[in-house]
Amino acid sequence: MSTPRTEGSTEPRHEDRTTPQLPAPDGSSDPHQWLEEVEGEDALAWVRERNATAEQELDAVADPADPDGAPLAVTLQREIREILDAKDRIPGVTKRGQYLYNLWTDAEHERGLWRRTTLDSYRTDDPEWDVLLDVDALNAAEGEDWVWHGASLLRPAEGEPYRKALVSLSHGGSDADVTREFDLKTRSFVPEADGGFLRPAAKGSLSWIDEDTTWVSTDFGEGTTTLSGYPRQARLWKRGTALAEAELVFEADETDMSVFVAHDSTPGWERDWVIQMHAFYDTTLHLADLGQQPPALETIDVPRDLEASAHRDLGIFSPRSDWEVAGSVYPAGSLVVGDFAAFRAGEPELTMLFEPSESTSLADMTITRNTVVLSILEDVVHRLEVHTRDQDGAWVRQDLYPELRGSLAVSAVDPDENDEVWVTVTDFVEPTTLLLGDLAAVPAGGEPTEPELIKTAPARFDADGLEVTQHFATSDDGTRIPYFEIGRADRGDEPGAGPSPTLLYGYGGFEISLTPAYLGPIGKAWLERGGTYVLANIRGGGEYGPRWHQAALKDKRHRAYEDFSSVAKDLIERGVTDTAHLAVRGGSNGGLLTGNMLTQYPELFGAVIIQVPLLDMKRYSHLLAGNSWMAEYGDPDTEDWEYVRTFSPYHLLAEGTDYPPSFVLTSTRDDRVHPGHARKFTAALESLGADVRAWENIEGGHGGAATNEQAARMNALMYTFLWSTIGRNDA
């Protein structure tokens, strides 16, 4: 018999899986709050028990395609690991000086090699890589569990080679990380005793201004972080001084989300930015004049929901709501440019390079030395434009590489030096290719060079017979919701063909667009074995610009869930699948999405996967970075709770409901979305006698896995769960 507990108790106890243990619908009590103690002995014992149970169940599922009946999870883990570790992947690179830099992981280097090569060598099938840092060897030497978080290089004096770097590493993949100075010549970290920069573990950043000066935003002690757990101070840190003595330049309010700092080192156009982020989509932008003492800040006069930046003489403005300035109105989702000095002087000379329509949005923008390249989505299909100024300063537009098909990602090779661009082309079933183009002739009225094929990744799964189609479902309020379907074109012609096991994926939040990308492990573990995969472009995302995102904010959140369920219904109505063979998957905000599918639409699905999720929307703003998401969801400690409670899956659980089988996955090291969400939801489902299993990776951060091996194991368990539920013929 369970012992009585006080309201909202954090006291651990033995879980009773037979008597319903649910939070109060109004959020006034929480019987599982003790599971929020991330590293608590009782909580971790609870986690280990669930991990063992889930693994025992799923590892017992035989592979129907194996004549010997080998465990399906073992087969899938091997196949996925081979894809993740493949040595013929396209290495992503960043150019600095004469070298291209890359972080590479494979079976022998789980945590990665930081390395570099030349462009000429990169063009070859087998580039010669110069290894700068072996993270696995570093872990072995230091007895650590470092996960690579990136590196920034200090621009050297004219004619000198790059030598100094700031390398960020995190424990187990958490958001909090350490930044250490690294010497590219000696291939070693600069000891703190020798004046090397070292930022201790915290959420924040350290970035170069010059050889002896950095910008630092981090946890400086009590009162120096926001309620969201991010830095609220921007300081200048001089070499040879203590971090605590770094000069305070700006301090945000405790209720702000964070402060970000950046130095633009473009020769002749050096600038220092202090970005005061009040909340998502709500920032104040400051220019810092470090030539004054103390440094002076100039606030850029733009609306707080507008994104602004500058490149050389050009100011770049992206409004999220209609922007009225100098007698003109620029619509939300547009891209506006103009002379930055004139704008700061109160004499804006602006040009709109992109104006959205009902079917188009700006997916991305890339600036080279003399051009602006726009990636535009038209009903979630990419096309490219290049914009340049003629000799009179007027802007001229032309289509760029219209022959390219698929998802198109463009990035400048070196925006300070030239007009070369990397173009990455990908699709669901077509392997990724990397092209190199040069736009240098465009400003003078010429044509870009033909894109040079630099790299092509080989196929990772058998796509023969697969077809990619786009469809539109009608949501509850009549809105057309696009979605992509990938499956066998001839399935309906097969004798006795029944509903296809179908996995529906979505996100629907934070203005993030879901676009086609090569499916790799999904193709191997799901499509190749006969499954159908569906990607839904629901509201809350950015597929149609800010309006698509804003249509599902706060009290309108239900629209994202109506959209997603409408796609599910459309798949059933079109005969692609049926309820017993339809599953949903989502992570983070997408975990909140699939948590709502489980609680609000349980009759629609045969299985539900919930990854690194938000689920307790009463306490989310008090857990880790949750306070920073109130612009998306609302403040549950105010009257907002009246609508927030309508999409809080933890509080929507109810007795007498027949919930489909579910799999809840998270990470102990996730310091963005608290693992307590997944733990408490699982415990509540267990108390209802629901068919639920849970798996928590000890490492991994918000991504759920810190190494390819961990990612392969996690995905193998997940797809085994799907094949054992919706993949069964009798499902």
Side-chain angles (χ1 to χ4, degrees):
M1 183 174 180
S2 60
T3 55
R5 309 193 66 213
T6 58
E7 179 179 303
S9 173
T10 58
E11 176 190 353
R13 65 165 173 80
H14 175 70
E15 281 295 295
D16 185 342
R17 301 196 195 188
T18 59
T19 302
Q21 299 284 335
L22 302 178
D26 63 0
S28 60
S29 65
D30 181 356
H32 307 293
Q33 192 170 327
W34 64 276
L35 286 169
E36 292 178 6
E37 191 176 350
V38 176
E39 301 282 355
E41 182 178 340
D42 292 281
L44 287 179
W46 183 95
V47 166
R48 286 190 288 269
E49 180 183 349
R50 270 77 191 160
N51 283 359
T53 300
E55 291 181 347
Q56 182 178 17
E57 172 200 341
L58 297 173
D59 285 337
V61 177
D63 182 356
D66 189 295
D68 299 323
L72 178 58
V74 171
T75 302
L76 292 178
Q77 185 171 342
R78 183 188 70 250
E79 292 176 346
I80 294 171
R81 177 74 187 268
E82 287 173 356
I83 292 173
L84 297 178
D85 284 340
K87 295 184 182 296
D88 53 2
R89 307 190 318 273
I90 298 177
V93 292
T94 301
K95 183 177 182 292
R96 293 292 182 267
Q98 62 179 314
Y99 293 110
L100 305 179
Y101 291 78
N102 163 260
L103 191 281
W104 180 260
T105 59
D106 57 28
E108 291 78 39
H109 310 95
E110 285 196 335
R111 303 293 172 133
L113 298 173
W114 186 38
R115 57 187 193 171
R116 66 186 181 185
T117 190
T118 63
L119 178 57
D120 287 342
S121 182
Y122 186 65
R123 282 187 166 102
T124 67
D125 292 336
D126 188 20
E128 295 183 8
W129 291 99
D130 176 19
V131 176
L132 300 169
L133 178 64
D134 182 331
V135 182
D136 295 274
L138 178 68
N139 282 335
E142 298 185 348
E144 294 286 2
D145 59 349
W146 296 125
V147 172
W148 179 263
H149 263 202
S152 63
L153 273 61
L154 172 67
R155 182 188 296 275
E158 184 77 25
E160 295 294 319
Y162 280 78
R163 177 165 181 176
K164 295 183 178 297
L166 292 171
V167 170
S168 294
L169 304 162
S170 87
H171 288 292
S174 62
D175 281 358
D177 55 18
V178 169
T179 308
R180 301 161 65 176
E181 184 176 353
F182 188 84
D183 189 319
L184 298 178
K185 183 176 181 179
T186 64
R187 316 296 171 91
S188 62
F189 289 103
V190 180
E192 191 176 11
D194 295 340
F197 287 109
L198 171 62
R199 182 181 67 88
K203 293 181 180 180
S205 66
L206 183 69
S207 56
W208 294 110
I209 295 176
D210 59 40
E211 183 174 351
D212 295 315
T213 315
T214 60
W215 276 114
V216 59
S217 60
T218 193
D219 184 347
F220 290 98
E222 185 176 355
T224 65
T225 59
T226 66
L227 295 177
S228 299
Y230 293 105
R232 57 183 290 229
Q233 294 185 344
R235 299 194 188 197
L236 292 173
W237 187 16
K238 294 286 188 179
R239 188 183 299 278
T241 64
L243 177 60
E245 298 172 1
E247 180 184 5
L248 179 64
V249 175
F250 180 81
E251 183 172 49
D253 294 333
E254 185 183 40
T255 54
D256 285 334
M257 177 180 166
S258 185
V259 165
F260 299 94
V261 284
H263 174 74
D264 182 350
S265 63
T266 303
W269 301 95
E270 293 85 354
R271 295 186 181 97
D272 290 276
W273 302 94
V274 176
I275 303 163
Q276 181 182 6
M277 193 167 186
H278 308 288
F280 278 100
Y281 341 112
D282 184 2
T283 60
T284 299
L285 184 64
H286 310 275
L287 267 179
D289 183 354
L290 305 187
Q292 298 189 44
Q293 189 56 41
L297 293 182
E298 172 194 343
T299 300
I300 305 303
D301 185 17
V302 293
R304 288 186 9 178
D305 66 346
L306 181 150
E307 288 188 4
S309 60
H311 173 72
R312 304 174 73 82
D313 65 315
L314 196 64
I316 305 122
F317 308 94
S318 302
R320 282 198 174 91
S321 58
D322 291 354
W323 180 34
E324 184 174 356
V325 58
S328 298
V329 177
Y330 302 102
S334 62
L335 180 71
V336 182
V337 298
D339 182 86
F340 192 49
F343 183 84
R344 291 168 59 195
E347 301 174 355
E349 303 166 1
L350 302 176
T351 300
M352 182 164 56
L353 298 188
F354 172 78
E355 181 176 8
S357 68
E358 283 298 308
S359 61
T360 62
S361 67
L362 182 62
D364 202 4
M365 172 197 66
T366 298
I367 297 184
T368 69
R369 183 179 174 90
N370 300 295
T371 77
V372 177
V373 179
L374 305 185
S375 176
I376 295 166
L377 284 180
E378 185 155 3
D379 284 331
V380 206
V381 176
H382 282 89
R383 62 179 174 84
L384 303 178
E385 296 178 354
V386 57
H387 295 253
T388 56
R389 287 173 281 191
D390 64 18
Q391 59 185 5
D392 298 320
W395 285 93
V396 179
R397 171 211 166 276
Q398 72 177 74
D399 291 332
L400 178 63
Y401 302 136
E403 70 278 9
L404 298 180
R405 294 291 182 270
S407 287
L408 309 176
V410 181
S411 61
V413 175
D414 191 333
D416 296 333
E417 297 294 332
N418 56 50
D419 294 303
E420 293 180 336
V421 290
W422 300 113
V423 182
T424 303
V425 184
T426 185
D427 203 348
F428 292 114
V429 298
E430 295 293 331
T432 302
T433 58
L434 178 66
L435 310 171
L436 178 62
D438 193 343
L439 313 181
V442 176
E447 295 293 321
T449 63
E450 286 295 314
E452 175 191 356
L453 178 60
I454 300 296
K455 300 284 181 186
T456 299
R460 305 299 180 191
F461 62 93
D462 183 3
D464 187 38
L466 291 178
E467 180 181 44
V468 178
T469 54
Q470 187 183 36
H471 307 269
F472 291 83
T474 302
S475 193
D476 293 14
D477 65 354
T479 302
R480 295 172 75 241
I481 309 301
Y483 67 91
F484 293 97
E485 177 189 329
I486 306 94
R488 298 200 63 82
D490 58 357
R491 181 171 180 84
D493 301 329
E494 298 175 1
S500 175
T502 300
L503 176 59
L504 170 59
Y505 182 85
Y507 186 78
F510 296 93
E511 210 173 312
I512 293 173
S513 301
L514 299 185
T515 56
Y518 189 63
L519 292 174
I522 298 172
K524 190 69 178 177
W526 191 246
L527 295 174
E528 192 178 278
R529 289 174 172 263
T532 295
Y533 184 73
V534 177
L535 184 74
N537 303 113
I538 63 178
R539 282 175 287 185
E543 288 86 349
Y544 292 101
R547 68 177 178 87
W548 199 246
H549 170 237
Q550 293 162 9
L553 283 180
K554 294 187 174 182
D555 60 327
K556 299 184 285 289
R557 198 80 204 162
H558 60 92
R559 289 178 175 166
Y561 310 136
E562 292 166 359
D563 292 355
F564 202 54
S565 63
S566 296
V567 173
K569 294 171 186 174
D570 199 56
L571 290 167
I572 295 170
E573 290 169 3
R574 290 180 46 238
V576 175
T577 190
D578 61 13
T579 294
H581 294 86
L582 176 60
V584 286
R585 174 192 172 194
S588 191
N589 172 75
L592 175 61
L593 169 69
T594 55
N596 273 285
M597 292 303 102
L598 181 76
T599 53
Q600 296 196 49
Y601 302 92
E603 73 285 352
L604 272 183
F605 305 105
V608 175
I609 293 175
I610 302 170
Q611 294 180 266
V612 289
L614 290 100
L615 296 166
D616 178 355
M617 300 306 289
K618 180 61 177 175
R619 284 188 46 73
Y620 87 92
S621 58
H622 298 275
L623 300 173
L624 297 176
N627 187 269
S628 65
W629 307 321
M630 289 195 292
E632 187 84 11
Y633 305 120
D635 183 351
D637 293 334
T638 68
E639 61 185 15
D640 290 357
W641 174 242
E642 289 307 308
Y643 66 77
V644 174
R645 66 194 300 176
T646 67
F647 59 84
S648 180
Y650 188 47
H651 297 90
L652 294 177
L653 290 170
E655 296 182 57
T657 303
D658 186 14
Y659 293 111
S662 58
F663 194 8
V664 185
L665 303 100
T666 189
S667 165
T668 310
R669 282 286 176 83
D670 188 345
D671 55 352
R672 192 179 313 172
V673 176
H674 198 290
H677 286 277
R679 295 175 180 179
K680 296 195 300 180
F681 193 69
T682 299
L685 278 171
E686 286 179 347
S687 77
L688 291 172
D691 183 2
V692 61
R693 71 276 304 131
W695 191 76
E696 180 172 317
N697 192 29
I698 302 303
E699 287 192 321
H702 192 50
T707 66
N708 288 346
E709 177 65 22
Q710 293 174 14
R713 176 61 168 163
M714 177 179 68
N715 282 283
L717 292 172
M718 185 183 69
Y719 285 108
T720 298
F721 164 72
L722 290 172
W723 284 117
S724 67
T725 50
I726 67 165
R728 300 195 316 264
N729 291 331
D730 61 343

